[in-house]
Amino acid sequence: MEQEQLKQFDERIQDLVEETADKPVRRVKKEKPQLKPSIYSLRLDEMKEWLTTNGEKAFRAGQIYEWLYEKRVQTFEDMSNLPKALREKLEAEFALTTLSTIIKQESKDGTIKFLFQLQDGYSIETVLMRHDYGNSICVTTQVGCRIGCTFCASTLGGLKRHLMAGEIVEQVVKVQQQLDETNERVSSIVIMGIGEPFDNYDAMMNFLKIMNDDKGLNIGARHITVSTSGIVPKIYEFADEGMQINFAVSLHAPNQEARQKLMPIAKAYKLEELMEAVKYYTKKSGRRVTFEYGLMSGENDTEEVALELAKLIKNIKCHVNLIPINYVPERDYIRTSRSKIFAFEKTLKEQGINVTIRREQGADIAAACGQLRAQERSHETK
């Protein structure tokens, strides 16, 4: 990865935000509340380091991890085999609970959407999806999003802040505590909730390592999927990590002009640059990439567009996941009809492309990513 490219990353994203904003909004700066660091942010090696730095035995890290991820306690006081002095140090230094449930919506298909409130009063969404093969969780990585996709509710109101790794981890823990009531387990994770994961890269990577740790929730790398809208330098960096995490790219259009209309990030990172980064990933990792493709009536769903998409990706080790988009009141896009969805799929298959249509879940609740937050916490999305 060229260091110069990485240095330009924040500049280019900020330029994108300013360029694509409808109009400049001058907001009065509020004093940020001091957030207590989440205990869940610490990897096992970091936990050992913190303990030794604070005059404690490193082996206590394993005990703390057991309390957090196996017994899933809700207070430090419950960690009964730790010395009282250590429990007091942990209490003083860290937050064990950074999320509180505001709303829990349950769909008739078993999908559950949680609206959680954070320490500073902001809110995020997490979704539990039930499948034949197990329980999957969709987690959020940011409060809001600054990428500006024109079909997405998550970008309403822009980016408020990044989540700490522990705030991402705790989403999984909270849902697992819910599943404990019925002796079920989280079997897979998708990082596709509110926010752009690669815009909060370090926290996301810590989250992945904590989830994958056999002393943590021990969720296998191949049962975790991370998605990006196309932050090119971070794709190269992620490829070089050497992890077996599943990788998805939100594509949504097969040419620069159409993609730029739907996803303003294409102004910062051109489609040609993105495809080169994807090819680097597949070559370096030996793994396929999933292209997420949301179908929007009259925008990107014709047979001609399907043929153009097939031509773009035909030499890449990949799979296409067609997504019938959820209706978002604040956006103007209309879902493609079922017949056209199947026709689009058929065209791709005829061109030799591996393709599936995403199963729709939670249609009877605020299913679209960011929609529940937009409905219930409108002051955050204006």
Side-chain angles (χ1 to χ4, degrees):
M1 168 52 50
E2 296 179 5
Q3 290 301 315
E4 187 59 31
Q5 223 178 1
L6 286 172
K7 286 178 184 177
Q8 292 173 354
F9 167 63
D10 270 324
E11 279 180 29
R12 294 179 76 178
I13 290 294
Q14 189 54 44
D15 288 346
L16 169 67
V17 174
E18 292 170 1
E19 187 179 326
T20 59
D22 291 332
K23 58 183 178 179
V25 178
R26 193 175 293 277
R27 293 186 177 92
V28 177
K29 285 192 175 181
K30 296 180 182 177
E31 188 175 336
K32 294 180 181 178
Q34 186 63 40
L35 301 183
K36 208 171 184 183
S38 169
I39 187 73
Y40 292 106
S41 288
L42 297 185
R43 301 188 310 267
L44 190 59
D45 61 309
E46 293 173 329
M47 185 82 73
K48 290 176 181 177
E49 182 180 350
W50 182 87
L51 286 164
T52 54
T53 300
N54 286 273
E56 302 288 345
K57 302 293 185 184
F59 79 88
R60 296 288 186 192
Q63 294 178 321
I64 294 170
Y65 252 52
E66 183 179 358
W67 286 112
L68 293 176
Y69 298 109
E70 290 185 34
K71 298 180 180 177
R72 294 184 277 280
V73 296
Q74 299 189 40
T75 71
F76 288 114
E77 191 58 34
D78 290 334
M79 299 180 178
S80 54
N81 63 348
L82 300 184
K84 188 173 188 300
L86 174 53
R87 280 178 278 161
E88 289 173 351
K89 285 181 185 178
L90 291 170
E91 181 75 47
E93 183 75 17
F94 300 107
L96 180 57
T97 301
T98 61
L99 310 180
S100 59
T101 304
I102 305 171
I103 293 172
K104 184 175 77 171
Q105 286 189 340
E106 297 192 45
S107 168
K108 60 188 178 185
D109 66 17
T111 300
I112 303 177
K113 175 169 271 195
F114 299 85
L115 187 67
F116 292 124
Q117 181 166 291
L118 302 165
Q119 297 177 79
D120 53 7
Y122 284 129
S123 61
I124 58 170
E125 294 177 0
T126 307
V127 183
L128 166 65
M129 297 167 288
R130 299 179 188 277
H131 307 280
D132 293 340
Y133 55 81
N135 296 308
S136 179
I137 298 180
C138 181
V139 299
T140 284
T141 53
Q142 295 176 304
V143 181
C145 182
R146 59 177 170 172
I147 299 303
C149 298
T150 58
F151 51 85
C152 181
S154 296
T155 65
L156 297 171
L159 176 68
K160 305 304 182 185
R161 71 170 174 87
H162 298 311
L163 293 187
M164 293 181 277
E167 291 172 318
I168 310 172
V169 172
E170 196 182 339
Q171 293 172 59
V172 182
V173 173
K174 285 281 191 186
V175 176
Q176 181 57 63
Q177 287 170 339
Q178 169 85 28
L179 291 173
D180 286 340
E181 296 176 9
T182 50
N183 295 314
E184 297 177 83
R185 187 179 186 277
V186 174
S187 54
S188 61
I189 297 171
V190 292
I191 310 175
M192 298 181 183
I194 296 171
E196 163 54 65
F198 279 17
D199 191 25
N200 190 14
Y201 188 83
D202 291 342
M204 180 204 73
M205 288 305 303
N206 267 354
F207 165 76
L208 292 175
K209 290 168 184 175
I210 292 166
M211 287 295 99
N212 195 217
D213 195 306
D214 59 7
K215 291 188 181 298
L217 288 178
N218 194 23
I219 296 174
R222 296 195 178 199
H223 293 277
I224 304 174
T225 302
V226 61
S227 175
T228 180
S229 60
I231 299 179
V232 167
K234 295 298 179 182
I235 294 174
Y236 285 99
E237 191 172 344
F238 184 70
D240 291 338
E241 299 279 359
M243 297 183 77
Q244 294 295 298
I245 303 294
N246 299 316
F247 179 53
V249 173
S250 294
L251 189 59
H252 305 308
N255 61 67
Q256 175 63 23
E257 183 182 359
R259 191 165 192 269
Q260 188 170 296
K261 179 185 175 184
L262 297 172
M263 305 178 71
I265 192 170
K267 294 181 181 180
Y269 300 108
K270 306 295 184 189
L271 181 59
E272 183 180 354
E273 293 178 84
L274 173 61
M275 300 313 290
E276 285 304 312
V278 168
K279 289 173 185 176
Y280 178 86
Y281 168 81
T282 56
K283 183 177 180 181
K284 186 71 184 280
S285 68
R287 311 197 72 222
R288 75 176 185 178
V289 62
T290 294
F291 289 113
E292 305 280 345
Y293 195 96
L295 287 162
M296 290 158 257
S297 182
E299 295 290 337
N300 64 352
D301 60 349
T302 65
E303 181 181 356
E304 292 74 22
V305 171
L307 289 170
E308 189 177 5
L309 175 61
K311 183 178 179 181
L312 177 71
I313 64 177
K314 66 178 181 179
N315 294 320
I316 298 174
K317 188 176 183 179
C318 69
H319 166 257
V320 175
N321 191 11
L322 296 179
I323 306 167
I325 65 161
N326 288 300
Y327 174 67
V328 176
E330 297 85 353
R331 303 303 193 185
D332 296 327
Y333 297 108
I334 299 170
R335 173 183 293 197
T336 294
S337 66
R338 285 178 61 82
S339 61
K340 290 194 76 172
I341 291 171
F342 289 128
F344 199 95
E345 178 194 35
K346 182 173 180 286
T347 300
L348 289 178
K349 284 183 174 178
E350 288 173 347
Q351 297 300 310
I353 302 298
N354 188 326
V355 56
T356 55
I357 299 171
R358 178 181 289 179
R359 174 189 165 203
E360 185 178 19
Q361 290 185 271
D364 55 328
I365 57 177
C369 184
Q371 192 173 359
L372 180 58
R373 175 173 170 260
Q375 286 178 1
E376 302 296 333
R377 311 281 283 203
S378 58
H379 61 282
E380 291 182 33
T381 57
K382 290 179 180 178

